[in-house]
Structure formats: structure tokens, C-alpha cells
Amino acid sequence: MLGLGALMTFCSTAWAATQPPRQAPTMSADDIELAESSLIVRIDPKYPSQAARDGLEGWVILSYNIDKHGSVYDIAVLDASPKGIFDREARRALAKWRYKPAVKGGKAQAVPGVMVLLEFNLSD
């Protein structure tokens, strides 16, 4: 027989598993092209040691903005599996990414609402 705490944990886990992923921000086709073509520094996230010991693999979907100088800011985790395991390392690595400044009409522009999927696989 399940205790009350175990039952509450089971119910909240089951509820969370049935919820759709959060709505991701949208980007224009021009902004997608700028973001994909202008990445100049990409730092891979470190694999969390506890996750490696436990044999866990997963992924994190992040959204972020690129300022007019090419730096990343306003990083947010949109979804992850398993939740809370790889988030911190994904955010930490993404904060170090740098882009060639996006230029529109001769002026450097920020690029909002960029998204990326970072996968964590033990075979890599």
C-alpha cells in the first residue's frame, strides 16, 4: 500500500508527464538565418558527474536572446528531460556562446527568441 507522501509524489509525477511542453517563443525566418550563420564561439556543456555515474542521458531546450554585440542573455529553460538534471550545465555553457553581431540596414541588431536543443549523451 502506498503512503500519502508516495501517492502525492506519484500523482504529481504522473500529472507533470502528461502536460505539454511550454510554448516556445517564435522567431522570424530572417532571425533564424542570422542566428544559425553567425555563431562564432560554441562551448559544449559539461556532463554532470552524478548524471554520468547514474548512466543518465537527456536533453534541454533553451531560449535566449543575442544582444547587438553578439553576447547571449536572458537564458531560459523551456523544457528538459529529465527535468533539473542537465539544466544548470546547459545554461552555463550557453552563456559563453558568442555570435557575430547581426546587421540589418547597416546597424547591429539584437536577435530575440533564439532556441536551441542541447543533448546529453554518454556515448559522445
Side-chain angles (χ1 to χ4, degrees), residues 11-12 35 44 50 59 62 68 78 82 89 101 107 114:
C11 289
S12 65
D44 288 328
Q50 185 64 45
W59 49 266
L62 304 131
K68 66 181 182 177
L78 297 177
E89 291 303 328
K107 295 178 83 175
V114 183

Side-chain angles (χ1 to χ4, degrees), residues 9-90:
T9 301
F10 173 75
C11 289
S12 65
T13 302
W15 179 83
T18 62
Q19 298 306 304
R22 287 171 271 182
Q23 181 65 38
T26 59
M27 291 177 64
S28 73
D30 289 340
D31 286 342
I32 290 171
E33 184 176 329
L34 283 170
E36 289 177 347
S37 66
S38 62
L39 181 63
I40 55 176
V41 175
R42 184 186 195 280
I43 304 299
D44 288 328
K46 292 181 182 175
Y47 214 100
S49 56
Q50 185 64 45
R53 279 192 297 272
D54 293 344
L56 293 175
E57 295 187 334
W59 49 266
V60 180
I61 299 174
L62 304 131
S63 71
Y64 58 101
N65 299 317
I66 305 168
D67 70 18
K68 66 181 182 177
H69 304 290
S71 296
V72 171
Y73 69 101
D74 284 345
I75 299 168
V77 174
L78 297 177
D79 202 0
S81 178
K83 296 202 181 293
I85 303 297
F86 301 105
D87 301 18
R88 183 169 66 188
E89 291 303 328

